[in-house]
């Protein structure tokens, strides 16, 4: 990843993703934001706008999803497996996503909305059709209507 300059350490000692600064944070903030944060429903569109500027046009859906996998894993979001099921379905399995330190249960909506925004950079037609947390795995499904 560093050879291709996808991730780099800037002269200001900040981590950069394709030249744009990203913040490494303790994950509890994302669980709190998912539960109590304002505008959680806007995260998908913010994510789309952010990644749309960085990813631009990917050579293929597969390469775009491979970049998503690398980004999530390198930022500590767990062990990611992505399955493309035909032309209209993507399943993302995150094994061992980070738990938060808040008093109440974990809420993965921030992560789900962020991933949804990224997937829409690859193809705007993909919509989240399901999410499930079971055992130690978060399973996300995105479908594209075949109109």
């Amino acid at each position: 990843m560093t050879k291709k300059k996808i991730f780099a350490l800037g002269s200001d000692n900040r981590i950069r993703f394709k030249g744009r600064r990203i913040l490494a944070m303790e994950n509890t903030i994302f669980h709190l934001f998912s539960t109590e944060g304002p505008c959680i429903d806007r995260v998908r569109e913010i994510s789309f706008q952010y990644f749309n500027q960085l990813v631009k046009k990917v050579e293929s859906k597969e390469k775009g999803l491979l970049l998503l996998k690398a980004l999530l894993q390198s930022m500590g979001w767990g062990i990611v497996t992505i399955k493309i099921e035909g032309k209209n379905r993507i399943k993302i399995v995150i094994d061992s996503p980070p738990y938060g330190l808040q008093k109440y249960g974990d809420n993965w909506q921030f992560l789900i909305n962020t991933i949804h925004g990224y997937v829409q950079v690859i193809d705007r037609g993909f919509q989240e059709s399901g999410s499930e947390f079971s055992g130690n795995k978060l399973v996300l499904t995105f479908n594209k209507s075949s109109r």
Side-chain angles (χ1 to χ4, degrees):
M1 288 291 154
T2 55
K3 287 182 183 178
K4 294 182 180 181
K5 300 201 188 247
I6 294 172
F7 288 102
L9 187 62
S11 59
D12 57 357
N13 288 329
R14 306 274 187 214
I15 300 170
R16 302 205 178 269
F17 170 69
K18 291 194 161 203
R20 194 156 186 198
R21 184 175 165 201
I22 56 174
L23 300 172
M25 305 173 110
E26 200 282 318
N27 292 302
T28 301
I29 191 74
F30 300 112
H31 293 287
L32 293 171
F33 189 74
S34 294
T35 302
E36 299 177 9
C39 307
I40 188 67
D41 54 325
R42 292 193 54 228
V43 171
R44 182 192 50 79
E45 188 59 30
I46 293 167
S47 172
F48 173 82
Q49 295 299 326
Y50 179 84
F51 288 115
N52 196 36
Q53 294 175 6
L54 298 174
V55 177
K56 301 285 184 197
K57 295 190 185 336
V58 290
E59 295 175 29
S60 66
K61 180 174 22 177
E62 291 81 6
K63 288 199 179 209
L65 292 171
L66 189 59
L67 181 58
L68 173 64
K69 175 181 176 169
L71 180 60
L72 290 171
Q73 288 186 166
S74 64
M75 295 304 293
W77 281 102
I79 301 164
V80 179
T81 304
I82 300 176
K83 299 174 186 175
I84 299 172
E85 299 174 343
K87 293 181 181 181
N88 300 322
R89 187 179 178 117
I90 298 170
K91 186 176 274 189
I92 299 175
V93 179
I94 303 173
D95 193 358
S96 302
Y99 293 94
L101 300 173
Q102 69 282 354
K103 291 180 182 179
Y104 43 83
D106 294 302
N107 186 329
W108 308 102
Q109 199 58 52
F110 182 90
L111 177 60
I112 293 165
N113 289 2
T114 301
I115 293 171
H116 188 183
Y118 183 99
V119 168
Q120 286 196 326
V121 168
I122 295 168
D123 188 324
R124 197 71 157 153
F126 278 102
Q127 298 299 320
E128 179 198 346
S129 57
S131 63
E132 177 184 350
F133 186 74
S134 179
N136 200 25
K137 295 181 193 243
L138 177 62
V139 179
L140 309 175
T141 306
F142 299 93
N143 285 323
K144 182 177 170 184
S145 61
S146 56
R147 293 182 212 189

